Every structure is written in structure tokens, then in C-alpha cells.
Amino acid sequence: MTPLTLTADTTGKPPVTSRARRTAWVPTLVLLLGALYCLVPIAWVVMAATKDRSELFSTFTFAPGTGFFDNLSELTAYRDGIYWTWMGNSALYAGFGALLSAAVSAGGGYALGRFAFRGREFIFKLILAGVLVPSIVLTVPQYLLLSKMGMADSYWSMLLPSILSPYGVYLVRIYAAAAVPAELLEAARMDGASEWRIFSRIAVPMMMPGLITVFLFQFVAIWNNFLLPYVMLADDTKFPLTLGLYTLLAQGASQPALYTLVITGCLLAIIPLIALFLVIQRFWSLDLLSGSVKA
């Protein structure tokens, strides 16, 4: 058996064995492998987007090409720039839908977390049941309902199903119960503040990190959603990026020249998500009590 060696420690902490130090590399290696698994496809898209039609299938996979700007120009010129119409539609669906979803989740989660009323637990259990139901199951019923209302193949057919997020309401309910002290709300009521003022000026700032999380989850889910627009929309000028790139890829079966446009479009579709994450990640580091201080 290999003897264990102890390292000297002058800080008063328990000594660390050499075997423990070797074991610490195991989770690090697992995380590195996971990161590599996630980043390799992105690296492939980045490299493939720089290649022209002749380089795409004839050069090394991760070797850069020379045709990125030509691909970008062709993508912009394709059908009078319909790709940017798809990009704008995705921004509208994801941005507006995630914002409305975060607002609804804020009101619902705050009410369930900070108010006691008859039927609260039953409503919360229904929301938990909604979390367990895959959204794909609801797509066809939503289409039938909106079609009856004359809203199929419209912008509303994409926005309305995205407003209510059971997981968002559940997350905000848990966050509100933990981050918004009941004593602070009672003190505000004793000072004569209305319930709307308490919610908007005290509760919402304190719940902001949770609301930002709900917004990000919903934005990414709507941005990447394929089945809902595939079922709801028929007019390609209303397509989001996912459905637009799918139609472009389907046409590539008979026109291989479109493959470079699809890959370039996929690369551009990733950039807004990365930018959004970099912009809003600082909100997660906010102090939970900063809202009450500002109020």
C-alpha cells in the first residue's frame, strides 16, 4: 500500500493528504470533458462558416476557410434579406414573450409565495403539474384553440403560448418566499404603502435576480423553439430563425450551395444568445437585500 503523506499547514486547518489532492483532479477532468463536448460543435460551426462551397467538404474540419464574408453577403442577399426578417421575428418572439412571461411569473410567484389565501396549495400543485407536462404535448391543442379564434399564422399565435411559464411561476414563488422577508412587507403596510407600491418598489427589486433567470430561460426556450412555429405559421415572412433555417436546409438537399448559407446563419443565430448572457449575468450577483435598500 502507498503511504499517505501529510503537508504542513500553518493556518490551523486539517492537513491535506496527497491522495486527496490527486482525487480533486477527477471532478475537474469531468468538467473539462463536459465543456469540450459542448464547445466542439460550436467550434465546428465557427470554422465551417468561414469556408466557401469548395472548401466546406474538402478541407480539414477545424481548419479556417476564406469565404466568411462572401457567405455573409450571399446570406444577406438571399431572397432580399429574408434571413434578417427571420432574425427580427426571433428577437420579437423571444424578447417580448420572455418579458411578458417574467412579468406574469413575478405576479403569480409573489402572490403564491407571500400571501395566504384559500386554494393556494391547490393552485401551486397545479403549477407543479404544469411543470411536468412537456410543452410539445400542448402544441397541437394550442393550435386548435388559436385557430378557432382566428389567430393561427399570426404573431399572436407565437406570443400567447409563451406568456405563461409554469416553471417560471414556480421558480419565482420559491425565490419570493426566500428573498422577500414578510417583516419588511408588514412594515411597509404599516407605513401606509399600497399593495401595488409594495410589489413594484420593494418585492420586484428584491426578486430581480430570479426574474432575470426566468427571462433568460424563456428567451432561450422561445429562441430555440421549432415545433410551435412549425405548427402555427405558414407565411415564411413570419418564420423565426429555427424554422427559416430548417426550410433553407431542406432546400439544400436539391441545392447544395445553400449549405454554406445555413451554417453561416446558424453562427449568426448563436451570437445574440451569447451577447444576452454576457449582458445580464451581472444581475445574478445582486445582493438579495439591495431592493429594500433602494426602496
Side-chain angles (χ1 to χ4, degrees), residues 33-252:
L33 290 176
L36 187 65
Y37 176 80
C38 295
L39 293 177
V40 165
I42 298 177
W44 181 88
V45 171
V46 172
M47 292 297 101
T50 65
K51 300 179 181 181
D52 58 25
R53 301 164 192 169
S54 60
E55 296 171 334
L56 185 59
F57 299 106
S58 61
T59 59
F60 177 65
T61 301
F62 294 101
T66 59
F68 175 73
F69 293 103
D70 291 336
N71 294 339
L72 185 60
S73 177
E74 291 180 18
L75 181 64
T76 301
Y78 178 76
R79 290 188 55 191
D80 297 325
I82 194 172
Y83 175 83
W84 299 109
T85 302
W86 298 338
M87 177 77 79
N89 292 337
S90 289
L92 173 64
Y93 300 146
F96 196 48
L99 189 62
L100 290 176
S101 179
V104 172
S105 299
Y110 173 73
L112 290 171
R114 293 287 77 183
F115 288 93
F117 54 89
R118 181 175 298 179
R120 183 181 69 166
E121 293 303 319
F122 176 73
I123 295 174
F124 184 62
K125 290 177 181 178
L126 284 180
I127 293 174
L128 286 179
V131 173
L132 301 177
V133 176
S135 58
I136 189 173
V137 177
L138 303 176
T139 301
V140 173
Q142 287 171 346
Y143 170 77
L144 295 176
L145 177 62
L146 292 174
S147 179
K148 275 286 188 183
M149 300 172 63
M151 292 184 178
D153 195 23
S154 68
Y155 290 103
W156 287 111
S157 65
M158 287 295 299
L159 291 173
L160 290 178
S162 307
I163 292 177
L164 180 60
S165 169
Y167 179 73
V169 176
Y170 165 76
L171 182 64
V172 175
R173 190 262 188 186
I174 300 300
Y175 198 91
V180 183
E183 297 80 4
L184 182 62
L185 302 182
E186 289 299 327
R189 292 188 183 103
M190 292 178 64
D191 289 339
S194 64
E195 291 297 335
W196 171 252
R197 184 176 178 84
I198 293 172
F199 171 70
S200 60
R201 297 296 300 275
I202 298 178
V204 169
M206 297 181 71
M207 297 188 301
M208 190 57 67
L211 298 179
I212 291 295
T213 303
V214 172
F215 176 86
L216 180 62
F217 283 173
Q218 276 296 96
F219 189 96
V220 174
I222 298 172
W223 186 274
N224 294 329
N225 197 348
F226 170 77
L227 184 61
L228 183 65
Y230 183 78
V231 172
M232 292 289 185
L233 302 177
D235 184 1
D236 62 357
T237 60
K238 298 184 178 73
F239 284 0
L241 280 173
T242 50
L243 188 55
L245 290 174
Y246 170 78
T247 59
L248 203 59
L249 181 62
Q251 296 176 28

